[in-house]
Amino acid sequence: MLTLKLAWRNIWRNKRRTLITMTSIVVAVLLSAVMRSMQEGQYDDMIKSTVGTFSGYIQVHADGYWDNQTLENSFAATDSLLQTMRNPNNVTAVIPRIESFALGAGKQQSRPVMIMGIDVEAERNLSNPQQRLQKGTYFQSNDENAVLVGRDVLQRLNMQVGDSLVLLGQGFRGMSATGLYPVKGTVSFPNPEMNKSLVMLPLRTAQNFLAADGRLTSVAFKVDDPGAINPIIQHLRTKLPDNYEVMGWREMMPSLVQSIEADRGSGYIILGVLYMVVGFGILGTVLMMITERTYEFGIMLSVGTPRGKIARILSIEILFIALLGSAIGILISLPVAWYFHLNPIHLTGDMAAVTESYGLQPIIPFSVDPSIFLSQAVIILGITLLFSLIPVFNASKLNPVEAMRS
Amino acid sequence: MAVIETTGLTKVYNADQVPVHALRGVDLTIEKGEFTAVVGPSGSGKTTLLNIISGLDEPTEGRTIVQGTDLSTLSDRQLIDFRLHHIGFVFQAYNLIPVLTAIENVAFVMQMQGRPQKECNETSRALLEEVGLADKINKRPSELSGGQQQRVAVARALSSKPDFVLADEPTANLDSVSSGELLDMMLELNEKEDMTFVFSTHDQRVIDRARRVVTLVDGKIDKDELRE
Ligand SMILES: Nc1ncnc2c1ncn2[C@@H]1O[C@H](COP(=O)(O)OP(=O)(O)OP(=O)(O)O)[C@@H](O)[C@H]1O
Ligand SMILES: [Mg+2]
């Protein structure tokens, strides 16, 4: 009780210093939390625009397909198999696909193209080509004899919507694959590679073309909560036969994961500098706090105050300032992040061009993941306490005679 | 048994550079109920002696025995505890904890001793009345005059029921009226409660009221007079 009373009154003894210290903690939490929120928001956006709108957070393939992506590693899609995949909680939709490569030819030009057979209905859940249509119309059925192509494919092949595209390639088990398909429309993807070479066919049309009736190369998953895919992956791994591989997006896209990690790392270097600045600021304040009261501590030790009590009083003072500062820091940074979450910063000019070339929207969305704010507050709190440790320890080790000579 | 007994106290500061011999063999015995002034020119070793007697400092040689306890046998932690229970302190100035009121300052040492809150309050109130500050119990030190602050310090020194009260120049920062009042009050407590006081001073009027005057010169006892 007495310890608390002393700590509390000492906090307000020098109001200005307490408020300045607290403000520096608030600002540190605000800066670090908002910066992290911006970073994580960008990562979320990157993941969402690649994973969330194309590959899906989870895919199932025949075992070995991901490392060797050929039709020989496709699998026969039975109803019971698809039913097993639909089963886990949190799976919103499963999206079957058959993918391969072929040569696409117009009247004068020919180019290698990516072939992607899609389930006309299911695909709306993920890449949703209908919504990305630039010209023309979407498929009517899975049997329709038509293709949709990436935004830039027609220009590369010197063709128009309505022209026929010749596809030449190799089907399942080495069968030759040829076909002539009217181009029904063009689709704009966030990824430039896909704009240049993707050709979409209705699923059964593609299976016919590739001589792979009823076969798929992948099933992509749409999930409720992208943060909670591991239980689904575990579930699928136990339920599906051994000759299937279940992969999360991190496994499928290690380079995306790596570039996010690298960027996060460089962010932490900047934050590290901020942490140091805050730490030494705190060190200065605490040293001042103690130096001012050295004489008083000398008196207290003389009359028989245990050393531990002096350390406790100081620790409570610092803890209180740090806790309150961190809490206010969270309270202020959350609405800031919320605002930019709802109203992302729009990039213009060169910056916009750069982000677009990476297949991203030219905006900086902020993340409002509470763990970001909490962890920054905890880190700043930890740094404050860490940098106070030594001065507080020294204060409790004062020699009373020397302390009173000061 | 004497309250304080020192034998052959010497204190050398800066032993490794230019040594300063602050005490050169001090043998001093103080009995219960004495009212002793330690006097002497500046630098004669008064503060050093009082610090050693109260276990705030260690002698280079010699021993201090307080109520039968040889202070040199105590660890730092034990010394702090010993001071808490056996010695009352009044320093020259700024004795009090600034954020505590007069009554809280007096109760502070008792609370450290772990006495019940009720006893702390009652005793502190009674002591403040005794030193003439009944109407100031809820004032902070900054709201009290220097003399009033010193009286609170005396009340605090007594609150722990110590074996003796030690005061290093308690009147140095006071005007002559306040000095006189503080001394009268200490004398009264000495008579009424049989409390042992040892204090250092430069002030002749203070010296005149002491019952025993120990004069230090150059770290040695030059005179030791009893007056009546
Ligand atoms: N911590 C120290 N380090 C070095 N020398 C010291 C220290 N403390 C005291 N001295 C020296 O010891 C001698 C005695 O000092 P002390 O403070 O005991 O004298 P004093 O009688 O209390 O003087 P004053 O009347 O001025 O208070 C002085 O020469 C002083 O300079
Ligand atoms: Mg002195």
Side-chain angles (χ1 to χ4, degrees), chain A residues 218-395:
Chain A
S218 70
V219 175
F221 285 67
K222 183 174 167 93
V223 296
D224 280 340
D225 178 5
I229 58 172
N230 282 339
I232 304 178
I233 293 177
Q234 288 314 321
H235 178 95
L236 289 172
R237 280 188 181 147
T238 53
K239 291 292 184 231
L240 289 172
D242 277 351
N243 51 342
Y244 292 89
E245 61 186 20
V246 184
M247 297 177 89
W249 66 273
R250 285 168 191 280
E251 274 177 281
M252 293 188 282
M253 270 168 262
S255 64
L256 177 65
V257 175
Q258 265 169 24
S259 64
I260 288 178
E261 290 302 332
D263 194 75
R264 201 178 264 146
S266 57
Y268 268 117
I269 293 176
I270 298 174
L271 283 181
V273 174
L274 176 74
Y275 295 156
M276 281 297 133
V277 171
V278 174
F280 282 104
I282 296 291
L283 183 68
T285 316
V286 174
L287 281 176
M288 218 195 305
M289 217 160 102
I290 289 171
T291 314
E292 269 182 18
R293 272 151 70 189
T294 300
Y295 182 87
E296 189 178 324
F297 293 144
I299 297 271
M300 289 170 78
L301 285 169
S302 297
V303 300
T305 311
R307 295 184 180 279
K309 187 151 203 105
I310 289 174
R312 273 201 298 283
I313 293 169
L314 278 170
S315 307
I316 292 173
E317 291 172 33
I318 293 159
L319 191 69
F320 175 84
I321 294 174
L323 268 178
L324 197 61
S326 312
I328 297 174
I330 293 186
L331 287 182
I332 297 183
S333 50
L334 262 177
V336 172
W338 256 110
Y339 177 83
F340 287 113
H341 179 72
L342 300 176
N343 309 285
I345 297 173
H346 284 264
L347 297 175
T348 52
D350 288 348
M351 288 289 286
V354 170
T355 47
E356 276 183 316
S357 76
Y358 281 103
L360 298 174
Q361 294 167 278
I363 56 171
I364 303 183
F366 282 55
S367 169
V368 286
D369 183 347
S371 70
I372 293 173
F373 302 88
L374 202 62
S375 62
Q376 289 312 307
V378 168
I379 289 173
I380 302 278
L381 188 73
I383 286 172
T384 307
L385 299 185
L386 191 73
F387 275 79
S388 314
L389 219 58
I390 291 172
V392 169
F393 179 78
N394 286 343

Side-chain angles (χ1 to χ4, degrees), chain A residues 6 16 53 65 92 109 111 152 178 199 218 284 293 315 401:
Chain A
L6 279 166
R16 187 161 20 145
T53 59
Y65 174 79
T92 332
Q109 298 276 344
R111 299 270 182 192
D152 304 328
T178 48
V199 174
S218 70
R293 272 151 70 189
S315 307
V401 176

Side-chain angles (χ1 to χ4, degrees), chain B residues 88-102:
Chain B
F89 286 91
V90 179
F91 298 100
Q92 187 171 329
Y94 308 111
N95 269 285
L96 306 178
I97 299 172
V99 295
L100 297 182
T101 61

Side-chain angles (χ1 to χ4, degrees), chain A residues 53-340:
Chain A
T53 59
F54 195 75
S55 71
Y57 288 92
I58 304 171
Q59 283 192 5
V60 172
H61 322 115
D63 194 28
Y65 174 79
W66 198 251
D67 289 332
N68 183 16
Q69 300 190 7
T70 70
L71 286 173
E72 306 318 309
N73 285 328
S74 61
F75 60 94
T78 61
D79 282 345
S80 70
L81 192 66
L82 289 174
Q83 198 48 50
T84 311
M85 295 187 200
R86 272 186 208 105
N87 247 341
N89 283 343
N90 300 326
V91 171
T92 332
V94 299
I95 297 101
R97 290 166 176 173
I98 183 164
E99 288 168 87
S100 186
F101 290 92
L103 192 70
K107 288 190 191 86
Q108 292 120 15
Q109 298 276 344
S110 64
R111 299 270 182 192
V113 292
M114 296 188 274
I115 300 289
M116 186 163 147
I118 57 169
D119 184 294
V120 172
E121 281 313 309
E123 196 65 33
R124 290 179 199 276
N125 291 303
L126 205 55
S127 67
N128 200 354
Q130 184 166 27
Q131 209 176 46
R132 299 174 187 273
L133 275 178
Q134 252 203 339
K135 289 190 197 132
T137 51
Y138 188 53
F139 299 129
Q140 307 286 329
S141 77
N142 277 331
D143 300 306
E144 194 177 344
N145 208 54
V147 295
L148 291 169
V149 299
R151 188 172 72 194
D152 304 328
V153 170
L154 288 185
Q155 179 211 334
R156 284 160 58 85
L157 291 173
N158 222 338
M159 291 170 63
Q160 308 280 325
V161 171
D163 290 353
S164 287
L165 174 69
V166 176
L167 291 177
L168 289 167
Q170 201 174 48
F172 184 49
R173 294 202 174 123
M175 301 286 281
S176 73
T178 48
L180 180 72
Y181 305 96
V183 176
K184 224 186 157 183
T186 60
V187 185
S188 177
F189 293 101
N191 177 324
E193 202 48 46
M194 291 162 72
N195 282 328
K196 273 197 264 182
S197 58
L198 188 65
V199 174
M200 283 183 152
L201 296 82
L203 186 60
R204 270 200 293 282
T205 310
Q207 286 167 335
N208 278 335
F209 167 65
L210 296 167
D213 265 354
R215 300 189 76 83
L216 301 174
T217 53
S218 70
V219 175
F221 285 67
K222 183 174 167 93
V223 296
D224 280 340
D225 178 5
I229 58 172
N230 282 339
I232 304 178
I233 293 177
Q234 288 314 321
H235 178 95
L236 289 172
R237 280 188 181 147
T238 53
K239 291 292 184 231
L240 289 172
D242 277 351
N243 51 342
Y244 292 89
E245 61 186 20
V246 184
M247 297 177 89
W249 66 273
R250 285 168 191 280
E251 274 177 281
M252 293 188 282
M253 270 168 262
S255 64
L256 177 65
V257 175
Q258 265 169 24
S259 64
I260 288 178
E261 290 302 332
D263 194 75
R264 201 178 264 146
S266 57
Y268 268 117
I269 293 176
I270 298 174
L271 283 181
V273 174
L274 176 74
Y275 295 156
M276 281 297 133
V277 171
V278 174
F280 282 104
I282 296 291
L283 183 68
T285 316
V286 174
L287 281 176
M288 218 195 305
M289 217 160 102
I290 289 171
T291 314
E292 269 182 18
R293 272 151 70 189
T294 300
Y295 182 87
E296 189 178 324
F297 293 144
I299 297 271
M300 289 170 78
L301 285 169
S302 297
V303 300
T305 311
R307 295 184 180 279
K309 187 151 203 105
I310 289 174
R312 273 201 298 283
I313 293 169
L314 278 170
S315 307
I316 292 173
E317 291 172 33
I318 293 159
L319 191 69
F320 175 84
I321 294 174
L323 268 178
L324 197 61
S326 312
I328 297 174
I330 293 186
L331 287 182
I332 297 183
S333 50
L334 262 177
V336 172
W338 256 110
Y339 177 83
F340 287 113

Side-chain angles (χ1 to χ4, degrees), chain B residues 68-107:
Chain B
T69 303
D70 183 347
L71 297 189
S72 67
T73 62
L74 302 180
S75 68
D76 174 73
R77 184 186 281 257
Q78 288 170 324
L79 267 176
I80 290 179
D81 198 58
F82 188 84
R83 293 201 294 268
L84 178 62
H85 289 96
H86 296 269
I87 308 176
F89 286 91
V90 179
F91 298 100
Q92 187 171 329
Y94 308 111
N95 269 285
L96 306 178
I97 299 172
V99 295
L100 297 182
T101 61
I103 190 166
E104 287 168 338
N105 262 291
V106 176

